[in-house]
Amino acid sequence: AAGVIQSPRHLIKEKRETATLKCYPIPRHDTVYWYQQGPGQDPQFLISFYEKMQSDKGSIPDRFSAQQFSDYHSELNMSSLELGDSALYFCASSQSLGQEETQYFGPGTRLLVL
Amino acid sequence: GDSVTQMEGPVTLSEEAFLTINCTYTATGYPSLFWYVQYPGEGLQLLLKATKADDKGSNKGFEATYRKETTSFHLEKGSVQVSDSAVYFCALSEIYAGNNRKLIWGLGTSLAVNP
């Protein structure tokens, strides 16, 4: 079965640079979520999109922005990168099914800021 | 607000031992409950879920029952294998503010299984 695809899988950037992470949801899934997971921590919700519109916002820094495109893929844009942005970034997708909804996660993008 | 509390790790077991990882939750509504597993260096995989009280989720020998009376969703496996070594996250999902959903996570429990 098709899964959530994320690219790149690994990314190394310098401080103050920008990074763009991409997420391709499972076909026919209408909702995309972005999470940040620091070492040894639980995932922290950043932002979500439903039918290409932002639906919820979590602890996403103002330096980050995201959008969902007409083909439902999503991009997380990160500017003025800081050392503390080094983390694993997950994208998850789901199909709106009310209480039955389940989020399926991609393999993550590991970002290292030097 | 909603929250998930799971037992602290690390948990170290010998192969074929019985596993229990406790998870309790607080929620204002009727959440769905999940266990996700993260193997070393990998992403989060859905292990099992339950969407209403008394539902039992099961997968790969793991089980968890949604207990509304005790607000619990404990993960169990009768005989663990070395390949079960991973971090296990308990999470709840609830609909709020119209159509928004959010996963509330426990802090994760690291399991190491020795041969």
Side-chain angles (χ1 to χ4, degrees), chain B:
Chain B
D2 296 354
S3 67
V4 173
T5 303
Q6 60 182 105
M7 66 186 284
E8 289 187 27
V11 174
T12 303
L13 295 174
S14 298
E15 209 164 21
E16 299 183 4
F18 185 86
L19 169 72
T20 299
I21 300 179
N22 290 337
C23 172
T24 58
Y25 67 91
T26 59
T28 53
Y30 302 93
S32 293
L33 300 173
F34 304 86
W35 278 100
Y36 284 87
V37 58
Q38 188 171 29
Y39 297 101
E42 297 187 13
L44 290 157
Q45 299 178 26
L46 176 67
L47 181 59
L48 52 84
K49 68 175 183 179
T51 58
K52 59 184 186 297
D54 300 325
D55 266 3
K56 177 188 282 188
S58 60
N59 185 26
K60 299 181 181 179
F62 291 89
E63 291 183 342
T65 301
Y66 189 163
R67 302 281 188 205
K68 193 168 185 295
E69 64 275 15
T70 54
T71 61
S72 66
F73 193 54
H74 304 322
L75 182 68
E76 297 182 336
K77 186 173 185 182
S79 176
V80 293
Q81 306 300 312
V82 173
S83 57
D84 294 326
S85 299
V87 179
Y88 292 82
F89 289 95
C90 183
L92 72 81
S93 173
E94 192 163 36
I95 300 173
Y96 68 99
N99 200 36
N100 286 329
R101 296 164 190 80
K102 186 183 293 185
L103 274 176
I104 307 296
W105 298 87
L107 294 180
T109 301
S110 175
L111 170 66
V113 180
N114 298 320

Side-chain angles (χ1 to χ4, degrees), chain A residues 32-53:
Chain A
V32 166
Y33 304 81
W34 285 97
Y35 292 86
Q36 177 192 58
Q37 186 182 31
Q41 297 182 4
D42 58 309
Q44 297 297 309
F45 170 70
L46 294 178
I47 195 167
S48 63
F49 293 86
Y50 169 70
E51 284 291 345
K52 294 159 278 185
M53 299 285 290

